[in-house]
Amino acid sequence: MTTDAYIYDAVRSPRGKGRKDGALHEVTSARLSIQMLNAIKERNGLEGHAVEDVIWGNVTQVMEQGGCLARTAVLGSDLDESIPGLSINRFCASGMEAVNLAANQVRGGAGHAYIAGGVEMMGRVPMGADGAAIAADPSLAMEQYFVPQGIGADIIATEYGFSRDDADAFAVESQRRAAQAWDENRFEKSIVTVRDQNGLPILAEDEYIRRGTDMQSLGALKAAFKEQGEVMPGFDKVALIKYPHLEKVNHIHHAGNSSGIVDGSAAVLIGSKEYGERMGLKPRARIKYSAKIGSDPTINLTGPVPVTEKMMAETGLKVSDFDLFEVNEAFSSVVLRFMQAFDADHDKINVNGGAIAMGHPLGATGAIIIGTLLDELERQDKELGMATLCVASGMGAATVLERV
């Protein structure tokens, strides 16, 4: 007999620009994680061995993000040292997988409660610094027709007929929605102001947003992956071996319609109904379903479509049954393909903007969009929502929330 898993709380940091002049650059991965864990502890009165484990996602697990960062963060936090820590990596879905794993542990009776989430300090630990074999080992890369994710995004655009204007218009709307969400304080329930070692505030709002973005400003940007695809090292040729029906790859993505490189962290408190009653906590949503799936590793970023199809097959739910979706904006074409595949209404998708406007801190994003989805379900007084991401190396992940 399974036990339902509920979300009791969700917090996140604002996202800082992932570069040396970004507001969070002085904060280490461990320190930012610690602030999120402490926020969960303080907001929910967690004392002693209050949760079974901390499950923490981060993608580039080297340097300060190496070792078991989850356990490091627990030891540096105000949580009891009897709480262990587990670091996991499912690339961009790491934060979501941490939440899903925690929920499944609760369902299976392996502990009544968990803290799950993730972190990525992309300005301090550069993406790719781990020298992943799928990209660095030529024998593996050639076997899988490996191309960088930006090329994959452009392949999606080429395969499914999305133009540069389509991608730019989506990006402009993401910026508009994100600015409106901040202006209307839609994130205030979850945002934890990041502070320095003296307790002084460093960042209270997403730093990456570019207000006033329009089609003209995006139209002036150079396609970011054209040279990489066509000249050196010529990844388009690799892609066209895999997809010979395409005459060429149409390069439409650039910095303005792709997710931003940022620093950020998020944490979610998950527990059973019995746990909430014992702790005096009110559940906010039930984690109704979670899934993961492998997909084409060359085009790479189409995972939200097959994982949604898997969800529908296993639950009987239809896309039309959902009130809201969070589909991570790794690139414009990823969400455009999701909407095209399911004839999904954009008015229900990423209503507060997404990673194009606010950034994509790899290991944290999955947990961030789950929290954003929950907050928005409550704000709109809606019932059912799904968060989903594309994942590097060709995977997809999803989490379905049902408000209590």
Side-chain angles (χ1 to χ4, degrees):
M1 183 175 180
T2 59
T3 300
D4 284 337
Y6 297 90
I7 294 178
Y8 287 95
D9 199 9
V11 301
R12 74 167 176 95
S13 73
R15 285 164 275 195
K17 294 177 182 178
R19 58 194 194 201
K20 290 182 178 180
D21 61 350
L24 299 183
H25 188 69
E26 69 181 74
V27 185
T28 67
S29 306
R31 286 296 169 190
L32 190 60
S33 302
I34 287 164
Q35 292 195 37
M36 297 307 106
L37 295 182
N38 283 343
I40 287 285
K41 178 186 184 299
E42 291 162 10
R43 285 162 55 124
N44 298 281
L46 305 184
E47 299 295 338
H49 193 81
V51 297
E52 188 72 20
D53 203 355
V54 170
I55 306 176
W56 213 241
N58 67 287
V59 175
T60 310
Q61 297 189 355
V62 295
M63 298 182 286
E64 68 183 51
Q65 292 183 171
C68 183
L69 181 58
R71 177 59 174 166
T72 301
V74 169
L75 293 174
S77 76
D78 296 331
L79 291 171
D80 194 272
E81 67 178 17
S82 65
I83 299 169
L86 171 65
S87 290
I88 65 167
N89 183 0
R90 198 188 292 281
F91 294 125
C92 302
S94 297
M96 176 176 285
E97 190 62 28
V99 172
N100 292 346
L101 179 57
N104 289 334
Q105 295 279 72
V106 170
R107 286 195 190 102
H112 286 291
Y114 288 75
I115 298 173
V119 69
E120 206 78 31
M121 302 302 289
M122 300 181 74
R124 295 178 61 90
V125 184
M127 183 168 51
D130 53 351
I134 189 62
D137 184 333
S139 63
L140 290 171
M142 288 305 297
E143 284 177 3
Q144 302 303 322
Y145 299 96
F146 169 83
V147 299
Q149 288 192 0
I151 304 291
D154 287 339
I155 295 171
I156 293 174
T158 307
E159 177 73 16
Y160 296 103
F162 305 125
S163 68
R164 168 77 179 250
D165 281 352
D166 293 333
D168 285 358
F170 181 86
V172 168
E173 180 63 7
S174 179
Q175 295 282 355
R176 188 196 68 78
R177 291 182 180 192
Q180 180 181 6
W182 272 105
D183 290 344
E184 296 180 0
N185 297 317
R186 296 185 187 180
F187 301 127
E188 64 180 352
K189 184 180 290 185
S190 298
I191 287 290
V192 175
T193 298
V194 179
R195 299 180 180 276
D196 66 15
Q197 292 183 342
N198 297 313
L200 300 175
I202 298 174
L203 187 64
E205 183 172 323
D206 290 318
E207 184 182 27
Y208 189 78
I209 295 175
R210 289 155 290 182
R211 293 174 180 270
T213 296
D214 56 24
M215 294 293 287
Q216 289 69 35
S217 61
L218 295 187
L221 298 177
K222 179 182 177 181
F225 310 105
K226 183 178 177 65
E227 184 172 343
Q228 191 179 42
E230 295 180 354
V231 184
M232 287 296 292
F235 283 110
D236 285 7
K237 293 180 179 178
V238 176
L240 293 175
I241 295 172
K242 181 76 173 284
Y243 313 112
H245 62 285
L246 299 178
E247 291 184 9
K248 60 175 290 187
V249 177
N250 182 23
H251 293 287
I252 70 164
H253 288 93
H254 50 74
N257 58 28
S258 307
S259 56
I261 293 174
V262 295
D263 303 324
S265 183
V268 182
L269 177 62
I270 299 146
S272 65
K273 182 178 181 181
E274 178 186 344
Y275 175 81
E277 291 172 347
R278 186 172 72 248
M279 298 292 293
L281 301 174
K282 182 180 178 180
R284 296 173 62 188
R286 179 167 70 98
I287 298 179
K288 186 178 179 70
Y289 174 84
S290 65
K292 57 271 186 185
I293 199 166
S295 59
D296 182 339
T298 305
I299 203 169
N300 200 307
L301 305 167
T302 55
V305 173
V307 82
T308 300
E309 292 170 340
K310 180 180 181 182
M311 177 275 298
M312 292 191 294
E314 293 183 354
T315 66
L317 292 167
K318 304 182 294 294
V319 167
S320 58
D321 293 327
F322 287 84
D323 298 302
L324 292 169
F325 293 91
E326 284 290 322
V327 183
N328 186 43
E329 296 174 1
F331 299 88
S332 286
S333 63
V334 173
V335 190
L336 291 171
R337 172 56 188 151
F338 181 88
M339 292 192 294
Q340 179 191 66
F342 301 111
D343 193 24
D345 186 350
H346 194 189
D347 288 342
K348 293 183 176 183
I349 298 171
N350 301 357
V351 299
N352 294 314
I356 288 173
M358 293 174 284
H360 175 20
L362 306 177
T365 299
I368 288 174
I369 65 173
I370 287 172
T372 298
L373 177 64
L374 175 56
D375 285 348
E376 189 62 20
L377 285 169
E378 292 175 340
R379 190 185 75 86
Q380 292 193 27
D381 194 22
K382 301 294 187 181
E383 180 180 354
L384 194 64
M386 186 177 83
T388 183
L389 305 93
C390 60
V391 187
S393 297
M395 293 184 281
T399 305
V400 174
L401 302 185
E402 181 181 49
R403 275 188 64 210
V404 179

